[in-house]
Amino acid sequence: MWPLGYAYAALGWPTFHVWGLMHGTFVAAWPTLSILAFLALGYLPLFRRTDDTALLIAGLVWGLLLATGFNIRHALGFAIAYGLLSATTVVVAVLCIFAKHRLRLAFLVISPLVFLNLDILLAPPALEQFLSRAIFDLKALLPPVAFSLAGYVLGSLARIAIKRWPRTAALH
């Protein structure tokens, strides 16, 4: 996680800088970087490569950037946060055009954001608070999931249109 922290500190970005990683955002960075390391190992001859490795890596990198912007949405303003979510729709749609496993890609892109916003992972609250906290956390995740699924649908439709286009053009 240290390279991520130093990169974010050098660029002046919030959330995953060194101080942020020491104060809780490791909950999002640790699983995301573990998945990223697993995918990157697929390029070494000793390890089996996963389908769509490069696309999944690109999606995870965008997910880390999205998690940073969405985490500070109150400071940035909701217009910028929803602009980032709209950009997520475009990124997911473009990646889904080329991916075999499009739905997996759509959920993987928002995984850093999911890990970052599930506060119940940090310290388990009392049982009566657990449900209200979990519902609040899941409601906060509905917009990113909706925008990512919209990108999945757009990318899948574009992929179908691209595959059908040469046959339809040949008929005319």
Side-chain angles (χ1 to χ4, degrees), residues 5-61:
Y6 288 131
Y8 268 66
L11 294 171
W13 292 347
T15 306
F16 295 114
H17 49 64
V18 177
W19 185 89
L21 287 172
M22 287 189 287
H23 290 89
T25 58
F26 68 90
V27 172
W30 188 261
T32 303
L33 294 175
S34 297
I35 295 167
L36 193 62
F38 169 76
L39 292 172
L41 284 174
Y43 285 107
L44 297 177
L46 296 174
F47 299 96
R48 197 178 109 230
R49 194 167 181 186
T50 306
D51 291 338
D52 307 327
T53 300
L55 299 173
L56 293 173
I57 289 174
L60 275 174
V61 169

Side-chain angles (χ1 to χ4, degrees), residues 64-90:
L64 282 170
L65 295 173
L66 174 67
T68 298
F70 199 75
N71 189 37
I72 60 167
R73 64 189 176 272
H74 298 290
L76 289 175
F78 284 94
I80 293 176
Y82 280 96
L84 286 172
L85 289 176
S86 300
T88 299
T89 301
V90 172

Side-chain angles (χ1 to χ4, degrees), residues 103-121:
L103 189 58
R104 176 173 60 178
L105 177 92
F107 284 123
L108 193 62
V109 167
I110 60 167
S111 65
L113 188 62
V114 171
F115 292 133
L116 186 62
N117 284 305
L118 287 180
D119 293 332
I120 57 173
L121 295 175

